[in-house]
Amino acid sequence: SAGLSGCSSLTRLDMSDNPLEDAGLAFLCEALARAPALTDLDLSKVDAGEEGVAAVAFLLQHTSSLARLRLQHPMGWVSDLETLGRGLGENVTLGDLIVSCDAGRSEVVQFVHNLASANSTLRSVKLTAVVHVRWDALRRKELKQAFAALERKAASFPWKLTLSMAFAGNNIQEEQPRRALLPPVQMSRGAAPERTRPPSCA
């Protein structure tokens, strides 16, 4: 990862499905924060916890080029929305964010509202809230009410928001998409980026 630091030929990096965990992700993000041309980063399914979220927040605070970030996991990637939100609030480059989080976190709705007022560069946000099947009917109702409140506010957000719910439990995933709050946006032009190996920067 240290070889990525300052590498001017690195524009896209797909690290998804790599068990980096917190220590590996911290090492990677510190290096990528100094990669001057990196625009597209996929950190889905990297098995990170709260320290990993802090590492991503550090990257967001210090990057000079990152425009698209994916943080996806079927069980919910982000375990600390407050920390991620601080990183996004100080970021001046990101345009597209795709993130999944544990819907049990009370900060989900506040996280979205904070983005609407704090980040001036975002164009689109796709948020998946992961709901555990063991939840009772009352907790599910509360989440639906919170999402309904976001629907009412969505038209005033400076970027397009798409919400969905995923139900997780006993290794069973059942995607339950909600309608896009605004018409879905094309997240990038042209074909989807191919999986990219880090270039060698001697």
Side-chain angles (χ1 to χ4, degrees):
S1 297
L4 301 176
S5 208
C7 182
S8 60
S9 61
L10 178 65
T11 59
R12 293 174 175 172
L13 182 61
D14 185 347
M15 294 298 293
S16 60
D17 293 295
N18 282 288
L20 298 175
E21 300 183 344
D22 287 342
L25 190 57
F27 190 59
L28 176 67
C29 287
E30 183 177 358
L32 293 179
R34 298 189 294 273
L38 180 66
T39 60
D40 193 321
L41 177 61
D42 192 342
L43 294 176
S44 300
K45 300 182 184 178
V46 294
D47 296 335
E50 292 188 2
E51 292 181 7
V53 177
V56 173
F58 173 86
L59 169 61
L60 289 168
Q61 291 165 342
H62 293 87
T63 182
S64 61
S65 58
L66 187 62
R68 191 179 194 213
L69 177 63
R70 301 176 196 83
L71 304 172
Q72 294 173 285
H73 194 285
M75 296 300 290
W77 200 106
V78 177
S79 57
D80 187 349
L81 283 168
E82 184 177 355
T83 296
L84 180 65
R86 284 198 297 269
L88 288 164
E90 296 182 30
N91 177 269
V92 294
T93 63
L94 200 67
D96 302 315
L97 173 66
I98 305 174
V99 59
S100 62
C101 62
D102 186 341
R105 306 293 295 183
S106 61
E107 308 94 351
V108 173
V109 175
Q110 190 60 49
F111 170 75
V112 175
H113 285 307
N114 288 346
L115 281 184
S117 60
N119 190 293
S120 61
T121 61
L122 280 172
R123 297 188 305 269
S124 61
V125 175
K126 182 178 180 181
L127 174 67
T128 299
V130 178
V131 180
H132 297 279
V133 294
R134 64 178 180 272
W135 280 18
D136 58 30
L138 178 60
R139 293 190 69 189
R140 294 192 186 197
K141 181 180 179 180
E142 290 174 346
L143 180 64
K144 289 179 180 179
Q145 290 175 339
F147 271 34
L150 286 179
E151 287 186 2
R152 292 192 291 271
K153 290 257 187 178
S156 65
F157 292 167
W159 32 260
K160 291 179 173 62
L161 173 66
T162 302
L163 288 176
S164 64
M165 294 184 194
F167 290 84
N170 300 322
N171 296 320
I172 298 175
Q173 292 295 319
E174 182 183 357
E175 187 71 18
Q176 297 289 335
R178 292 176 65 87
R179 67 179 179 84
L181 303 188
L182 291 176
V185 63
Q186 184 66 34
M187 302 293 280
S188 60
R189 296 180 179 177
E194 298 180 355
R195 193 179 184 89
T196 308
R197 294 184 178 180
S200 175
C201 293

